[in-house]
Amino acid sequence: MTIIDNVNINAIFRRGHTPDRNAVLDILARARELKGVGREEALTLLSVSDEDLLQELFETARWIKGEIYGNRLVLFAPLYISNLCENDCAYCAFRKANTGLVRRALSQDEIARETAALMAQGQKRLLLVAGESYNEDGLDYVFKSIDTIYSVKSDKGNIRRINVNIAPLSVEEFKRLREHNIGTYQLFQETYHEPTYRRLHPRGPKADYRYRLESMDRAFEAGLGDVGIGVLFGLYDWRYEILALLSHIEHLENKFGVGPHTISIPRLEPAFGAPLSYTPPHAVSDDDFKKIIAVLRIAVPYTGIILSTRENAAMRREAFELGVSQISAGSRTNPGGYSLGEEPVEPGAAANDCQFSLGDTRSMREVVLDIVQHGHIPSFCTACYRLGRVGKDFMDLAKPGLIKHNCLPNAILTFAEYLGDFADEKLRSKGFAMIERMIDSDLQNENLRKRVRENLAQIRGGKRDIYV
Ligand code: SAM
Ligand code: SF4
């Protein structure tokens, strides 16, 4: 089965796209029906350069973001368990040829310490990340690590959802991964453009383009509910990448009745010992990056968009408005980086044990305060996954607009927990004021308002982990 419909993508490209004003306005008007747009229409939107039209495009994306996600932003942090790697990705510091990198695979005790350090910041959702080579335990090392993270408890609770970003697995291996209660399995194709992919991944298991491309099919076949896809922007023409990504989504929807739960949109960042990362062959400008986010929001309204701390604070603020729904905060990309207590290196610099440099080096607390000051409510919700509302079940609720009636109350309740357990006075008073305003203006009926107020009283009284 064709996953990336290159014949169609190339045909769309060849026709060229000087967008006609009325055609763009027509697409934007239809986008407000919240049914997404096709590849051809997406390329028309990606080609918009006229300032007026661009503002219309952004306004539509903002409107869709508001309709579906309101002002919620889900927070998480990556936990790098190992930087050992068999591959030689030209852009990554963990690549095998990088002999200058300080290598380590954390022990289970170290992973428990990292988890405790992240829990002490208030994190409830983690993304486990690893290079493609595990210690002598092989893949069991990853499974043990997941179990270790879930097992760490403190008086303020525990990690409630672990997503994983690890190398592709076989169907049998995915089945074993599923037994460890993961949330989303994430994997980025990096570039969908096969000749470029082959050039940048010359050695190791990752050199197999097709095996990577078919990973999400295998994950679904193994019964995983939620998968996350992505592109590493900067490797090839971003217009092609978006069309190919939409083609991948269409393939999954046609074959499995459900698309990806999330899309990640990393841009290439400087990485120690990976010269290509300093001069991306197809660098994506800030303006084009904003357009990418807006067009994705319009094209696949119900798919979460994840933005990491690769981006700086100013870009992140704009991205939240345009469609991003999940963000990492306070991140480190070196194994052991949280419990070592080291400051991250300056933005743009690349340390010799990190995967890449960070654009946003602020602490979790600073990010949370900033989010609130810009009118967004941080959410630590994990309810859907814990209630089994995943994959198609999630989309069946999301598409008619029903899921948001759970999401906002859960955002409020999990944020209230965070405020009670981790916030200083300033944040606490701003946060609870925001919660009060939202209960009055954004919850849809009196019953729900009453229920949320009762739950909040329970949280103030010390009860935790309440969700609807
Ligand atoms: N090793 C596995 C793999 O490659 O799929 C999973 C983890 S890998 C550490 C996670 C992601 O980091 C990669 O998929 C890639 O998109 C991203 N990445 C690698 N080098 C990067 C860089 N220099 N800047 C930004 N992101 C990068
Ligand atoms: Fe290894 Fe993943 Fe980095 Fe490639 S991107 S070198 S596979 S860690």
Side-chain angles (χ1 to χ4, degrees):
M1 186 180 267
T2 310
I3 298 182
I4 304 306
D5 187 355
N6 270 313
V7 176
N8 173 278
I9 293 174
N10 290 333
I12 298 178
F13 254 77
R14 264 198 304 279
R15 273 201 295 281
H17 275 257
T18 314
D20 169 74
R21 184 179 175 79
N22 288 334
V24 171
L25 292 176
D26 183 49
I27 296 170
L28 294 179
R30 274 183 288 119
R32 290 186 182 235
E33 291 166 22
L34 303 178
K35 296 200 173 78
V37 300
R39 272 179 254 161
E40 179 107 29
E41 293 160 314
L43 185 60
T44 301
L45 296 182
L46 286 171
S47 310
V48 168
S49 55
D50 173 90
E51 191 50 40
D52 270 19
L53 272 185
L54 208 51
Q55 289 315 319
E56 294 280 346
L57 170 69
F58 289 165
E59 193 38 49
T60 308
R62 279 190 204 105
W63 182 84
I64 293 175
K65 161 95 202 270
E67 278 298 295
I68 296 178
Y69 301 88
N71 59 348
R72 281 174 285 115
L73 271 177
V74 170
L75 265 77
F76 72 95
L79 198 175
Y80 281 72
I81 57 168
S82 157
N83 61 12
L84 313 183
C85 197
E86 276 302 301
N87 294 314
D88 225 342
C89 311
Y91 43 81
C92 178
F94 294 177
R95 69 202 184 100
K96 194 171 185 179
N98 186 9
T99 49
L101 190 84
V102 181
R103 303 268 171 186
R104 58 193 305 214
L106 299 182
S107 68
Q108 296 305 314
D109 282 349
E110 288 170 325
I111 291 170
R113 271 204 292 281
E114 288 285 276
T115 307
L118 284 160
M119 282 163 45
Q121 294 177 14
Q123 298 283 5
K124 295 284 187 277
R125 305 167 60 111
L126 297 186
L127 173 67
L128 179 150
V129 188
E132 187 164 0
S133 165
Y134 311 112
N135 65 6
E136 60 287 352
D137 287 345
L139 196 54
D140 281 338
Y141 170 64
V142 174
F143 300 152
K144 277 188 202 160
S145 305
I146 295 170
D147 297 347
T148 298
I149 296 170
Y150 277 132
S151 75
V152 179
K153 306 267 186 292
S154 83
D155 57 339
K156 302 207 169 100
N158 58 314
I159 295 299
R160 298 177 184 158
R161 173 175 176 136
I162 304 173
N163 299 329
V164 297
N165 186 327
I166 58 165
L169 303 178
S170 67
V171 174
E172 282 318 305
E173 289 167 333
F174 273 129
K175 284 185 181 161
R176 291 175 58 211
L177 178 64
R178 192 177 156 220
E179 285 163 17
H180 294 266
N181 269 332
I182 63 152
T184 308
Y185 170 71
Q186 279 188 5
L187 187 75
F188 313 150
Q189 187 61 28
E190 321 297 13
T191 172
Y192 283 98
H193 187 248
E194 195 165 348
T196 304
Y197 184 97
R198 290 191 187 291
R199 207 160 25 79
L200 300 180
H201 305 95
R203 275 172 290 279
K206 192 163 168 179
D208 190 339
Y209 172 88
R210 198 88 217 152
Y211 190 70
R212 194 168 182 92
L213 189 61
E214 289 166 354
S215 299
M216 297 318 183
D217 293 55
R218 292 194 301 278
F220 277 143
E221 277 157 25
L224 284 179
D226 289 337
V227 302
I229 62 176
V231 165
L232 180 55
F233 287 103
L235 302 180
Y236 189 62
D237 185 328
W238 50 273
R239 294 175 194 82
Y240 174 90
E241 303 288 17
I242 296 291
L243 295 188
L245 185 95
L246 294 178
S247 181
H248 193 179
I249 293 173
E250 216 173 283
H251 159 81
L252 295 173
E253 280 175 346
N254 289 340
K255 189 168 167 191
F256 299 99
V258 60
H261 189 64
T262 54
I263 299 174
S264 296
I265 48 171
R267 269 199 295 185
L268 201 54
E269 286 292 321
F272 169 76
L276 182 115
S277 66
Y278 289 86
T279 48
H282 292 266
V284 176
S285 69
D286 286 355
D287 285 345
D288 287 339
F289 192 57
K290 284 189 261 175
K291 203 154 54 169
I292 288 172
I293 296 170
V295 172
L296 283 176
R297 184 68 301 143
I298 290 170
V300 279
Y302 295 96
T303 306
I305 300 180
I306 302 181
L307 191 75
S308 74
T309 50
R310 291 171 179 89
E311 300 298 332
N312 65 31
M315 172 51 80
R316 274 156 60 93
R317 281 184 207 114
E318 292 199 63
F320 302 160
E321 302 287 338
L322 291 173
V324 164
S325 54
Q326 296 191 23
I327 59 162
S328 50
S331 304
R332 299 284 186 278
T333 65
N334 54 326
Y338 298 104
S339 41
L340 290 173
E342 288 170 356
E343 291 298 314
V345 292
E346 285 303 300
N352 70 354
D353 59 351
C354 294
Q355 195 201 1
F356 49 78
S357 86
L358 300 172
D360 184 352
T361 54
R362 294 172 301 168
S363 68
M364 160 94 159
R365 192 167 298 192
E366 289 171 290
V367 173
V368 171
L369 180 62
D370 190 50
I371 289 173
V372 171
Q373 281 172 334
H374 285 85
H376 298 277
I377 178 164
S379 173
F380 300 88
C381 178
T382 54
C384 280
Y385 141 79
R386 292 162 78 207
L387 291 168
R389 288 191 301 238
V390 298
K392 191 163 177 330
D393 292 346
F394 171 82
M395 284 298 169
D396 286 348
L397 282 171
K399 289 193 175 169
L402 298 175
I403 196 76
K404 65 180 176 202
H405 301 313
N406 299 87
C407 296
L408 183 54
N410 287 333
I412 290 175
L413 298 176
T414 54
F415 184 40
E417 280 189 7
Y418 175 87
L419 292 173
D421 288 343
F422 303 102
D424 57 21
E425 219 19 71
K426 180 178 173 193
L427 176 57
R428 200 169 291 161
S429 80
K430 281 184 186 296
F432 277 118
M434 168 182 254
I435 285 177
E436 283 303 321
R437 278 196 307 277
M438 291 182 72
I439 292 178
D440 287 337
S441 63
D442 296 349
L443 291 182
Q444 99 257 34
N445 63 49
E446 196 43 51
N447 274 347
L448 192 56
R449 282 193 276 276
K450 187 163 170 274
R451 186 166 164 202
V452 169
R453 283 194 197 289
E454 282 166 7
N455 290 156
L456 279 174
Q458 290 174 314
I459 288 171
R460 282 204 162 98
K463 193 160 168 22
R464 291 289 174 267
D465 206 10
I466 304 174
Y467 50 89
V468 297

